[in-house]
Amino acid sequence: MAFADHPTLHPANWLRDIEAQVPRKAVRDLWNRFRYGADAPRSDERIYLPPCEIRDSYDANAGRKPLRRQHSGMIVAGDWDLCRTPFAENIKFQSCRMHYEDGVAWEDTPLFARMLRHLAEGRRPDGCVTHEDVVNRYETLDRIYEETQRRGRLLAQSELPEYFRREHGGILVHIDRNGQPLRASGGMHRLAIAQILKLPEVPAQLGVVHPEAIYKALLAPLRQSRLG
């Protein structure tokens, strides 16, 4: 079994396995399969969505459940999926539109100002620790935008040099009781870029799934790319 095909097994990635809770996810996958059969959700699995159909974000404050990447593949009942806010109101989406559609410099967007404010408070927004880190981050985002515009699509995680496990690290999306996507706390800039460029489809990392979506067989269609 080649490490290139299964990077989670490589000794160099063992610490990353622990941080991403891969052992716990593997147990979750087995339990899901036992309870729901072969079509049960898998942690970190890739699904395909038209980006402009992702209109709402999961509101963790209202839902009182911090559903993040480590919860990928988890089946959660209840009304958490009713707790949502419009994605268009997200500061990252608004700042991306200002920059890419209106030509506003990153330094003049509310997002950049918030990043600097968080730095001044001693925080590490998006892993940045200095002003230069913030500048470099958005220069990198500009390159992603240009490459995505040229290709006409976003790359799947398996196409990237830092590929780790399934679609781990991609745009994180929860699935509500009606099979509709809710943006979660991962990949917001890439989703904004995909919506601005009006891409027909994006690969996404499956987050939490409402059990009603499984009972209604609404997950299966998301596993197939519509682009062939």
Side-chain angles (χ1 to χ4, degrees), residues 96-218:
C96 283
R97 289 195 64 179
M98 290 174 65
H99 180 69
Y100 293 118
E101 294 185 343
D102 302 328
V104 175
W106 280 119
E107 289 81 356
D108 297 326
T109 63
L111 175 59
F112 200 93
R114 188 179 74 173
M115 296 279 282
L116 296 185
R117 185 170 65 254
H118 286 176
L119 285 179
E121 294 170 353
R123 299 161 67 176
R124 297 168 59 97
D126 292 337
C128 297
V129 294
T130 66
H131 182 281
E132 184 179 6
D133 289 341
V134 178
V135 172
N136 290 338
R137 174 169 175 74
Y138 288 99
E139 287 178 350
T140 299
L141 192 66
D142 284 344
R143 288 194 292 272
I144 293 174
Y145 179 89
E146 293 166 1
E147 292 168 359
T148 302
Q149 185 177 43
R150 184 176 64 254
R151 291 192 189 96
R153 68 183 183 94
L154 273 175
L155 296 179
Q157 291 298 298
S158 60
E159 299 177 277
L160 300 176
E162 61 271 23
Y163 172 60
F164 172 58
R165 182 180 194 258
R166 299 174 184 167
E167 193 59 23
H168 178 83
I171 296 170
L172 185 63
V173 175
H174 303 318
I175 302 299
D176 75 5
R177 67 190 66 196
N178 297 311
Q180 296 302 306
L182 290 175
R183 186 211 61 79
S185 58
M188 282 187 280
H189 291 104
R190 281 167 286 170
L191 177 56
I193 286 173
Q195 291 195 358
I196 291 168
L197 293 176
K198 295 180 171 60
L199 299 183
E201 180 180 273
V202 292
Q205 177 187 357
L206 180 68
V208 167
V209 181
H210 197 285
E212 289 189 27
I214 302 174
Y215 299 142
K216 298 173 184 176
L218 300 176

Side-chain angles (χ1 to χ4, degrees), residues 32-74:
N32 284 349
R33 189 178 179 90
F34 173 76
R35 293 181 64 196
Y36 296 94
D39 291 332
R42 295 193 309 158
S43 59
D44 301 333
E45 76 168 291
R46 182 188 307 157
I47 57 176
Y48 299 90
L49 298 162
C52 292
E53 291 185 5
I54 306 174
R55 301 183 182 92
D56 292 327
S57 299
Y58 168 63
D59 187 343
N61 292 325
R64 298 181 181 180
K65 294 179 184 290
L67 305 176
R68 301 191 176 96
R69 291 197 191 278
Q70 63 263 36
H71 303 112
S72 176
M74 186 177 291

